[in-house]
């Protein structure tokens, strides 16, 4: 069996007038993330990690923000397409370890729903998806609640 590891990172600005989507679920919050798609930073980081592990470039290459077909798209669709893309090279998802950096909203109560949603989209066991949440202790753009970032590390396998 061949294994490969990938790393992904994404950040989006928090703005009024947008819904907040993280890990494929909508969260109640006074601000949402600004982006061409639904701006789900967690899913975007996971997509980049999967594509990087398979040596297939990045999310912007496959789903450019200049393409009208991806305007306001649900990022779960992008994640499903990414899993299909890595499968064209014989890879499948082994496990994911991801961290979301946000001051608010508090994410701990939402982690099980995020894991379940991602599990369904990717067709992997919930136990293979680790989601963590942290703050930056009021430091930087995250601490000032100007944006949210996410990091993801993935393992992919080829039989």
């Amino acid at each position: 069996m061949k294994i490969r590891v990938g790393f992904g990172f994404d950040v989006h600005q928090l703005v009024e007038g947008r819904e907040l989507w993280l890990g494929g679920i909508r969260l109640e919050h006074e601000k949402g993330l600004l982006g061409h798609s639904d701006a789900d930073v967690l899913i975007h980081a996971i997509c980049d990690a999967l594509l990087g592990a398979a040596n297939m470039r990045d999310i912007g290459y496959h789903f450019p923000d200049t393409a009208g077909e991806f305007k306001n798209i649900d990022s779960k669709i992008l994640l499903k397409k990414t899993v299909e893309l890595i499968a064209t090279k014989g890879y499948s998802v082994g496990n994911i370890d991801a961290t979301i950096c946000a001051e608010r909203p508090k994410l701990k109560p939402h982690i099980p729903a995020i894991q379940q949603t991602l599990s369904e989209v990717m067709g992997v066991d919930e136990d293979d998806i680790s989601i963590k949440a942290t703050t930056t202790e009021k430091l930087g753009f995250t601490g000032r609640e100007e944006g949210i970032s996410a990091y993801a590390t993935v393992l992919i396998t080829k039989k």
Side-chain angles (χ1 to χ4, degrees):
M1 176 188 309
K2 182 175 187 174
I3 63 169
R4 293 179 72 140
V5 175
F7 173 78
F9 169 77
D10 195 36
V11 62
H12 283 278
Q13 181 182 0
L14 280 164
V15 296
E16 292 183 13
R18 293 272 298 189
E19 294 179 344
L20 179 59
W21 287 87
L22 285 174
I25 66 169
R26 185 175 180 274
L27 302 177
E28 289 298 323
H29 194 57
E30 65 269 14
K31 292 183 179 180
L33 293 169
L34 180 63
H36 186 70
S37 67
D38 64 9
D40 188 324
V41 292
L42 177 59
I43 287 183
H44 295 181
I46 292 169
C47 287
D48 264 352
L50 291 167
L51 291 165
N55 193 21
M56 297 180 79
R57 301 192 60 168
D58 60 40
I59 191 171
Y61 177 80
H62 293 279
F63 313 111
D65 64 5
T66 54
E69 66 195 277
F70 303 121
K71 181 73 175 156
N72 296 319
I73 195 169
D74 181 337
S75 290
K76 292 186 297 289
I77 295 168
L78 303 181
L79 181 57
K80 185 168 180 58
K81 288 179 182 284
T82 297
V83 172
E84 292 168 357
L85 279 169
I86 69 167
T88 65
K89 289 183 80 172
Y91 291 106
S92 61
V93 177
N95 74 296
I96 294 168
D97 183 26
T99 302
I100 306 165
C101 298
E103 290 297 320
R104 292 184 316 116
K106 293 301 180 193
L107 300 173
K108 182 179 177 181
H110 304 289
I111 289 175
I114 291 171
Q115 288 173 299
Q116 179 182 9
T117 299
L118 295 176
S119 166
E120 290 169 3
V121 171
M122 293 186 290
V124 300
D125 193 280
E126 285 181 44
D127 194 48
D128 293 328
I129 303 170
S130 169
I131 306 295
K132 301 176 304 297
T134 192
T135 70
T136 58
E137 301 294 332
K138 307 274 187 215
L139 297 173
F141 73 87
T142 303
R144 292 186 300 271
E145 297 184 41
E146 296 170 5
I148 294 176
S149 61
Y151 302 84
T153 304
V154 302
L155 176 79
I156 61 174
T157 61
K158 181 191 274 189
K159 292 193 173 152

